[in-house]
Amino acid sequence: MMEHILSLIVFFPLIAMLFGFVVNKDSIKTFGILVAFVEFIFSIILWIGFDTSNAGFQFVEYSPLISRFGVSYYLGVDGISLFLVVLSTLMTLVSLIGLNIKKDIKNLVLAILFLEMTLVGVFLSLDMILFYIFWELSLVPMLYIIGAWGSGQRIYAAIKFFLYTFAGSAFMLVGILYIGYQYYLATGSWSFSIPDWHLLVLPFGAQLWLFGAFFIAFAVKVPMFPFHTWLPYAHGQAPTVGSVLLAAVMLKMGTYAFVRFSLPFFPDASVYFLYPIAVVAIIMVIYASMVAYAQEDMKQVIAYSSIAHMGIIILGTFAMNVEGITGSIFLMLSHGIVSGALFMLVGVIYDRRHTKMISEFGGL
């Protein structure tokens, strides 16, 4: 089992989702919780089997997909991605247990399981094309969850979320193809494997442009100031389960990508842009906290405070030392649990009173 544990963790929710189409609507929530629980157990087995003394990628699975262009099915886990996988499976389980929507619940549960597959895929992919596919696929279920089960301006919020993140990722795709081509020029063979790209030394000028292309995709996802305007809308209109998964896991995709790609692929550019990014991160912390103070809607307070927390994570990542990066990964996990829990608390009181306005809860 252990030699294929990563494939199992990635595709188990997808296979279960396909089975879910024939499950009765009344028992679909129980089915979803059961699937999420088994997936969580798989991630715990992965954690137990993980060798902490080995700094490289473990449980690696590799098979070529498009040999001519070096595209492969390549999965692996290291200390950075391990706990993000555990976080993804835990928060999916928690959000399904707390699910209390009656409308089209079957579609919602299946969308959540599909989302879980894409999130875990992002953290375990060691091939850039595979990573990009999971990265973009994660938008589809979240667009559906916000658009179909949200409140108020849900269609506007869903489309804004989708267009922002999709447009940002287009720059990254160009960057990925360019680096693949540079690798081809340097070695004579195509490869989109992350360990192979670590060996590639890019000229400083190319690093600056590529860092910018990847930065836009990650900054929108985090979201960093001034790319953050989609987040309060998405959180404000999303159902509780959407907010929990968005805040707890999806925002971490951006911060994870900075640690996984920006620093090792473009080290010179990362140092070059260190101060501007640090300034933006400090603006994020102060500005988002101030805006959070001024909110009247409880969900918006948590949404803006999430932006401030992400600013601290970015600051830690670009401190360029072990303490900063370790701290930022620790904060990714703790923020994932805390923000998810806060959104669930808001969900509880919203179900009781059908309002998220702080002014309605005097003395709570």
Side-chain angles (χ1 to χ4, degrees):
M1 175 181 159
M2 289 308 274
E3 63 264 23
H4 294 298
I5 181 104
L6 298 189
S7 292
L8 193 63
I9 289 174
V10 173
F11 294 112
F12 177 69
L14 180 67
I15 294 162
M17 183 202 105
L18 298 174
F19 271 110
F21 282 108
V22 297
V23 174
N24 184 346
K25 189 168 76 121
D26 298 330
S27 47
I28 190 74
K29 183 183 170 184
T30 312
F31 173 76
I33 292 170
L34 193 65
V35 171
F37 180 72
V38 173
E39 176 79 348
F40 177 60
I41 295 299
F42 285 153
S43 68
I44 295 298
I45 292 169
L46 180 70
W47 185 3
I48 293 166
F50 187 82
D51 176 11
T52 49
S53 62
N54 175 3
F57 292 108
Q58 299 179 34
F59 304 106
V60 172
E61 295 179 36
Y62 180 89
S63 61
L65 289 177
I66 308 169
S67 308
R68 191 169 157 223
F69 291 109
V71 179
S72 55
Y73 173 73
Y74 193 8
L75 301 177
V77 63
D78 66 356
I80 300 172
S81 51
L82 172 68
F83 294 107
L84 288 166
V85 171
V86 176
L87 178 72
S88 305
T89 57
L90 173 66
M91 294 317 290
T92 307
L93 175 61
V94 169
S95 61
L96 277 165
I97 292 171
L99 197 62
N100 56 1
I101 293 171
K102 300 286 181 281
K103 186 187 104 176
D104 290 340
I105 184 165
K106 186 168 179 175
N107 296 358
L108 179 57
V109 169
L110 299 184
I112 292 168
L113 292 178
F114 185 78
L115 180 63
E116 180 173 29
M117 184 268 298
T118 61
L119 294 172
V120 174
V122 163
F123 297 130
L124 293 179
S125 298
L126 292 186
D127 180 272
M128 284 307 289
I129 299 293
L130 192 65
F131 166 82
Y132 183 79
I133 290 168
F134 282 125
W135 175 274
E136 291 292 59
L137 272 181
S138 68
L139 299 182
V140 180
M142 190 49 84
L143 172 79
Y144 182 40
I145 290 169
I146 297 171
W149 291 275
S151 57
Q153 297 176 294
R154 59 177 190 259
I155 302 299
Y156 173 78
I159 291 173
K160 185 168 187 174
F161 157 73
F162 186 84
L163 290 180
Y164 256 70
T165 39
F166 189 77
S169 305
F171 291 97
M172 177 169 69
L173 180 61
V174 174
I176 289 171
L177 297 175
Y178 180 79
I179 301 175
Y181 180 62
Q182 287 299 318
Y183 187 88
Y184 170 73
L185 293 181
T187 63
S189 62
W190 288 89
S191 175
F192 288 95
S193 138
I194 293 168
D196 285 353
W197 282 14
H198 285 159
L199 307 173
L200 187 65
V201 180
L202 293 160
F204 182 63
Q207 276 195 36
L208 293 183
W209 286 105
L210 289 165
F211 183 90
F214 278 71
F215 177 81
I216 291 171
F218 302 157
V220 171
K221 202 74 157 189
V222 167
M224 288 178 73
F225 175 87
F227 303 100
H228 67 284
T229 56
W230 63 267
L231 183 75
Y233 276 104
H235 272 317
Q237 315 308 331
T240 300
V241 60
S243 295
V244 169
L245 291 172
L246 189 61
V249 189
M250 283 193 82
L251 303 189
K252 310 303 173 291
M253 287 162 59
T255 50
Y256 163 79
F258 273 121
V259 178
R260 172 67 80 222
F261 307 123
S262 296
L263 301 186
F265 290 168
F266 322 117
D268 303 336
S270 298
V271 173
Y272 182 79
F273 286 119
L274 199 154
Y275 288 108
I277 289 176
V279 169
V280 169
I282 292 167
I283 290 171
M284 279 168 72
V285 175
I286 298 169
Y287 163 77
S289 303
M290 293 298 206
V291 176
Y293 260 125
Q295 295 306 307
E296 295 168 359
D297 181 322
M298 232 175 278
K299 264 193 162 181
Q300 303 287 40
V301 176
I302 309 170
Y304 278 107
S305 71
S306 288
I307 298 173
H309 287 161
M310 292 293 119
I312 295 170
I313 292 174
I314 297 295
L315 210 52
T317 302
F318 282 89
M320 303 276 183
N321 55 31
V322 176
E323 294 81 5
I325 292 171
T326 312
S328 68
I329 293 165
F330 179 80
L331 195 56
M332 283 182 217
L333 302 170
S334 52
H335 175 262
I337 294 164
V338 170
S339 64
L342 284 170
F343 276 117
M344 293 196 84
L345 288 172
V346 173
V348 169
I349 54 180
Y350 178 76
D351 289 335
R352 306 274 166 89
R353 288 289 311 277
H354 297 289
T355 176
K356 300 190 293 273
M357 291 298 152
I358 297 169
S359 56
E360 297 289 318
F361 293 100
L364 177 64

